[in-house]
Each structure stands twice: as structure tokens, then as C-alpha cells.
Amino acid sequence: MKVRIFGNSHVAALNRGLKTIETRSRNISIFPIGSGAYETSPFSRFSQGRVFFSNKLYADNLKKFTRNWYLSPDIAWGVCMGTHTSRICRDDFWREAEPATICATGKRPVPETTVEAIIESDQRYVKAMLTQMKQAGLAVFVLSCPPLRTSVRNVGTGVRLEVAAYLDAMARRNFVEFLEKEDIPFISPPPETITEDGFLEERFHQELSAKGTPDAHHANAEYGALMMQRVLDWLDTADLPMQADVA
Amino acid sequence: MTNPYVGLPKSAFWRSGVSDVSPLEFSDIYVPKFRISRNTKIAAAGSCFAQHIGTQFKNRNYNFLDVEPAPDGLAPDMHQKFGFNMFSGRYGNVYSVRQLVQMFRRANGTFVPKETCWEEDGRYYDPFRPAIQPGGFASRDELEKDVAFHLSQMARLLSEADLFVFTFGLTEGWVCLEDNAALPTCPGTVAGRFDESKYAFHNYSFSEVMEDAEAFIAMAREQNPDMRFLFTVSPVPLTATASGDHVLPATVYSKSVLRAVCGELHKKYDFVDYFPSYELVASHPMRAMFFQPNLRSVAMPGVAQVMKVFFDSHNKGRPGAKKRAASAEKGPAKGRARQKQHDLVCEEEILEEFGK
């Protein structure tokens, strides 16, 4: 079975990494569905047994890279979405407010269920898409976006690192719990890429884009290679038919 | 022969003011006592009907205060569930003026209730805002922190507002016997457990409501001597009465007391205005046309008509004053610029890797 991995901009590092490793004769490729900015609005729909993208950019990219307007049942789909926590952690709100459990004096305490609701607001449409994919009977697995970088705007500057780490951990936990309930396999980041505090190790930061502009957000090709190695290792044990075509 | 009725305007007579006129076209039913401009800092509280008033002020770009705004990352369809975006703070429905006075007395430290937490199945509820946190707070400590923050924000509200809008909802309520603390709902309905040794029904009289209203006015003007007030009475009948009476006369009693208090305050103070939302929905010339089939909930066209009368009255005779279309919700410009910059980085990353 062909393996196609899609997701937000974090798939760029995965693609760069994939090019540097042995794919073990797997027919596997990666493509971007579009910026993560669209993940917080409805972007997919289930119709007549199939999953389509209702977001035009996502739909056009699916068509461009797979020649289909829907997610084909002949493909095992890897989704790199849902654990992109920088959107939550860098929000200016957390400069003045903190989760109640760890709230510093002078900050607005935010109750746990409110934090969960904020996380749910961020993740719900990705979750909706994954539920639709299961409904459509598609083979689907999720691979984690890279761990949060401490260079992301606000993180460690306006927003305390402890707060960012708390939010990141809660968001990931909530998402993984959802995947477990839906029986969707999850491939976590390589342990050696994560600091003790849960952030991306600095050596895996992409400091500059290919254009040379500063990048405070993405992981580099070395991270991508390690992550794709984990994906391939998982695929070796997963119950998916092999197809020995050249990718 | 002449008398004081000769020369009165048409609005003073039942025939010309009501029965010969469409109920959608009552003239001069509301003549504002003072102007409310888009610079006026407006705070609002009250029962469920009052939420509509706040929404309309916001939609029309008035300077509506909210000292406990919703987190940016919380989806708008979840705001009300968590008590956000309803009034000027996260206090939920304030049904009685006793509750209102009490809230600000707690904020300034002059009243500390004895009972501050209800526990149920390992979750914790605020007796004074039982519906504010769906499923309750995770711990007593979390509840106490939330209350402390809430009251700190309430302490600022009176000093910041130029105009306080309050919709009087009910005269019936429940109190804690230990300290006479007014509860927004009967324990055991939304949260808590009813215990007749701890809680009692109270139906506020005209003099009690009047005293509470004047206490609130005094408290507010102590912080802000120029504060003005706009009072209305909710047209929504009682869901149920614990008075022992039939719910219909119980409702009429309640609304009559509240309406009489508003009338008295309106006459007594030049800085208190009264807007007849009650009359515009619930009085018999309106033929109950603005109620839902349950004759209790106000339908949205009714809310719209009431607010149209309000804003048209305030804009009357102001050259060039036009109804402003509701603007799309916009975050602060700075935040949008930052988000755009971040999105650019992500778009670039995709283009660079996959664009070739």
C-alpha cells in the first residue's frame, strides 16, 4: 500500500529528512496540505463515504499531489497535524494569564476546564477530519509535529517557559487521548530530540529558511530524518500491505 | 373651557398614542434623559434579557466594557458556556439588585459571605456563579483563585464605567440563612444541595428593592460621582414561583415592584434613565407578538425591535447619525500583524520545500 503523509508546514522538515534516508522500498511520499493557520476552522467534510477538503487551498493541494479530490482508500495516510501547539502557546493571552495550577501572582488564573476548552478550540477540526477518515474506513496514522521551540514568539519571553511547557504537554496529552479513543496510531517525536522540559533540542532547530530568512518555528532536516526513521520503523510493524514500487 | 390635557402631545392619549397606531410605531415611547455616545464607557448586568442589550451595544460599536474578556484562543461558540461575552464581567445572570449590590460589596471587601464553595462529586462550584464553569472547578484552590480574580476585576468596573445598565429581573430569590447572602439560583437547581435549614426563599418587597437600588447607586457614585444609570425591567416571566401563588400573579407582582422602583428612581434622580423594554414586549398592546410560543422567551425579532427603538431614540435629531452595520470581530491590529508574520514563515517553508 502506498503511504502518503500530509500536513502543515512541519512536513517540510520530514520531506527533507526523508530524502536523506533509506526508505526500505516503501512507496512513501510527503506533501503539504497547507498552512496550519487554516486548522482552526472547518476544513474537511465526509460525503458519500469519502473525505474531502472543504478548504479550497487544502483541496487544491490534495488534487495537485494525489490527483484526487478526496482521500483515496488505496493509500495509507499519515497525518502531521494536531500537535502543532505553538498556536496555543504563543498566544498573547498567556502573557497576562496562566493556567490556575501554576499561576504566578499578578496573572489571571485560568481554570483547567477553560484551558482544555482552549485546546479543544484549536484541535477540534483536525480531530473532526481524523474521525471522518475513520468513518471512511481509511488506513490512517498520525505523526507528531516537532516539539515546541523555545524561540517561538512569546515563548520564554512574554509567556513563561513553564506555562508554555504546561500548555504543550496538556495539548499533546488531550490529542493523544483522542487518538487512542479513535484507535488511530500515533508516532511521537524521537526522544533524543526533546529536552528535559519538553522542548525541541536546539541542534534540531531550523534557524534559517532556504531563502535565508530567520525561522523561529520549524525543525530541521536532521530532525526530519530521525522522525521519518521512526515512521518507517513503525510501518515495518504496522499491519499495512507492502508495495515494492519505487516512490 | 381649558384643562391640563388640552395641548398635550398625541403620545399622552391612549387612542392617538396606542390604539390608533401600529405597535411597531409608537412615537416617543422613549425619550432619553441623557445622551449615550460611542465614547460612553458602558457596563451592564442583569438577567438573561440583559445579555441582548450588551450584545447590541457591542455589535453597534459602542464602548462596552468587559473586564473579564474571553481568552483569544477560546472559540466564540464556547464563550457563553464559560460565562464570557455576556455582560461586563464573568458574573453570569444577576437577577436581583440585592445580588448586584452584594457583588460589589464583596469586591470592595465590605461583605464576605460565609459559604463560598459547594462541592459535588469531586468538583467545586461557586454558589454565587454556579453555572460559570461547566463541570465545576477542579479544586477549591482553583475556585478561590478564580473568585479572587473576578472580584478584583469587579472592583475596577465601577470606577471605569460612565454608564451602568441594569435589567431588573426578579424579586424572588434564595438566601443563606447564616448571613443573608443572596444566591442567584436555588441550591440544587444548577449546583449545590438544597437544605431548608440553611437556605430560605425571599420575595423582595418594593422598599427592599428600592433600598438596594439606592445603595448600589450610592456605592457606584462614591467611586465615580458622574456615573449615570440606565434601568430596564426584563419582560421575561418567572419560570417558576416559590411564593405559594400562581405563577401569573407572582410574575405580575414581581414585575410591578421592579417597574415601580424604576419609575421612582427615574423621577428622583436626573442621572437615572428608564428604558421601557418591559412595555415594548410584555404590555398588552404588543399582543405578545414578540414572545416565543411558550409566552416566556423573547424572540429575536422582539429583541431587535426593542433595541431599534432604543438606538433610534438616542440617534433622533442627530444630523448624520446612522445605524452602523455590525463590524466583523477584529482582534487588536498588533496581534493580527504578528499572526500574519507567522503564517508567512509557514507559507514560505512549504513553498521552499515543495514549490520547486
Side-chain angles (χ1 to χ4, degrees), chain B residues 72 330-337:
Chain B
D72 291 338
K330 291 174 192 164
K334 225 174 171 183
R336 286 201 308 283

Side-chain angles (χ1 to χ4, degrees), chain B residues 25-42:
Chain B
E25 291 177 331
F26 290 147
S27 172
D28 295 333
I29 194 165
Y30 170 55
V31 179
K33 223 185 212 181
F34 44 75
R35 196 180 151 223
I36 299 171
S37 76
R38 282 191 169 74
N39 294 324
T40 307
K41 285 176 275 178
I42 303 167

Side-chain angles (χ1 to χ4, degrees), chain B residues 33-336:
Chain B
K33 223 185 212 181
F34 44 75
R35 196 180 151 223
I36 299 171
S37 76
R38 282 191 169 74
N39 294 324
T40 307
K41 285 176 275 178
I42 303 167
S47 59
C48 36
F49 186 74
Q51 294 175 33
H52 297 304
I53 297 175
T55 302
Q56 288 285 326
F57 274 121
K58 280 181 274 189
N59 287 352
R60 292 165 191 256
N61 296 319
Y62 280 78
N63 191 352
F64 190 81
L65 297 176
D66 186 349
V67 294
E68 292 182 272
D72 291 338
L74 187 66
D77 59 297
M78 293 191 196
H79 285 185
Q80 291 215 351
K81 190 175 162 196
F82 285 83
F84 294 111
N85 225 355
M86 292 165 66
F87 302 107
S88 294
R90 201 167 163 242
Y91 31 79
N93 286 344
V94 177
Y95 295 102
S96 70
V97 72
R98 174 64 59 88
Q99 243 187 284
L100 185 72
V101 171
Q102 178 179 273
M103 178 169 72
F104 287 107
R105 281 183 178 151
R106 290 178 69 203
N108 70 19
T110 56
F111 177 65
V112 181
K114 297 272 194 293
E115 197 166 321
T116 55
C117 177
W118 288 337
E119 188 267 328
E120 202 171 315
D121 298 330
R123 305 294 296 181
Y124 299 81
Y125 298 84
D126 181 351
F128 301 99
R129 302 178 300 156
I132 214 75
Q133 196 69 27
F137 293 88
S139 66
R140 182 181 281 264
D141 181 61
E142 186 180 84
L143 162 60
E144 286 172 359
K145 280 180 179 166
D146 192 82
V147 170
F149 176 77
H150 164 65
L151 292 178
S152 73
Q153 297 308 98
M154 290 302 99
R156 344 181 329 222
L157 189 58
L158 289 184
S159 58
E160 287 186 16
D162 298 320
L163 171 72
F164 202 102
V165 181
F166 184 66
T167 298
F168 290 72
L170 301 174
T171 54
E172 294 192 19
W174 293 85
V175 298
C176 296
L177 287 168
E178 201 178 358
D179 58 1
N180 221 28
L183 299 170
T185 56
C186 178
T189 53
V190 176
R193 273 181 290 271
F194 186 74
D195 181 342
E196 64 180 19
S197 68
K198 291 170 73 174
Y199 312 110
F201 172 73
H202 189 79
N203 203 351
Y204 295 98
S205 65
F206 171 87
S207 52
E208 285 174 316
V209 178
M210 189 71 190
E211 191 180 311
D212 286 337
E214 291 195 294
F216 172 65
I217 288 169
M219 189 190 308
R221 283 176 72 90
E222 194 184 318
Q223 287 216 43
N224 182 355
D226 296 323
M227 173 89 76
R228 290 171 297 172
F229 304 86
L230 176 67
F231 293 144
T232 68
V233 175
S234 167
V236 178
L238 292 170
T239 308
T241 178
S243 64
D245 297 329
H246 188 282
V247 71
L248 181 55
T251 294
V252 174
Y253 167 79
S254 203
K255 300 301 178 184
S256 299
V257 164
L258 298 175
R259 179 62 183 93
V261 167
C262 287
E264 192 70 16
L265 294 168
H266 181 252
K267 272 197 301 211
K268 191 172 176 183
Y269 300 107
D270 59 9
F271 49 80
V272 173
D273 200 2
Y274 171 73
F275 174 63
S277 54
Y278 179 82
E279 288 86 333
L280 284 166
V281 176
S283 67
H284 72 274
M286 305 313 294
R287 284 89 159 166
M289 72 171 107
F290 291 139
F291 282 108
Q292 300 273 16
N294 66 7
L295 295 178
R296 206 188 150 262
S297 315
V298 180
M300 285 317 292
V303 174
Q305 175 62 16
V306 165
M307 298 316 300
K308 181 180 182 302
V309 169
F310 178 82
F311 288 105
D312 283 355
S313 302
H314 272 278
N315 289 328
K316 202 175 183 177
R318 285 175 56 207
K322 282 188 170 98
K323 228 179 9 179
R324 310 244 174 116
S327 63
E329 271 204 10
K330 291 174 192 164
K334 225 174 171 183
R336 286 201 308 283

Side-chain angles (χ1 to χ4, degrees), chain A residues 8-9 11-13 15-16 19 30-32 34-35 37-38 65 84 86 90-93 100-101 108-109 111-114 117-118 120-121 124 153 206 209-211 213 215 217-218, chain B residues 67-78 82 84 90 123 133-138 141-142 145-146 149 334-335 338-339 342-343 345-350 352-356:
Chain A
N8 51 42
S9 59
V11 298
N15 201 50
R16 290 187 196 109
K19 290 174 195 170
I30 301 170
F31 67 93
S35 165
Y38 301 105
F65 288 102
H84 168 55
S86 81
R90 68 175 186 256
D91 194 310
D92 285 340
F93 177 73
T101 328
R108 173 181 177 179
E112 187 181 82
T113 50
T114 308
I118 292 168
E120 182 61 21
S121 298
R124 58 184 176 168
R153 183 181 66 78
Q206 172 166 280
S209 71
K211 253 188 175 170
T213 51
D215 184 351
H217 184 61
H218 297 101
Chain B
V67 294
E68 292 182 272
D72 291 338
L74 187 66
D77 59 297
M78 293 191 196
F82 285 83
F84 294 111
R90 201 167 163 242
R123 305 294 296 181
Q133 196 69 27
F137 293 88
D141 181 61
E142 186 180 84
K145 280 180 179 166
D146 192 82
F149 176 77
K334 225 174 171 183
R338 284 200 196 120
Q339 179 59 34
H342 175 89
D343 292 344
V345 170
C346 290
E347 298 284 357
E348 240 177 50
E349 177 75 347
I350 289 174
E352 280 310 305
E353 182 56 23
F354 297 98
K356 16 190 188 302

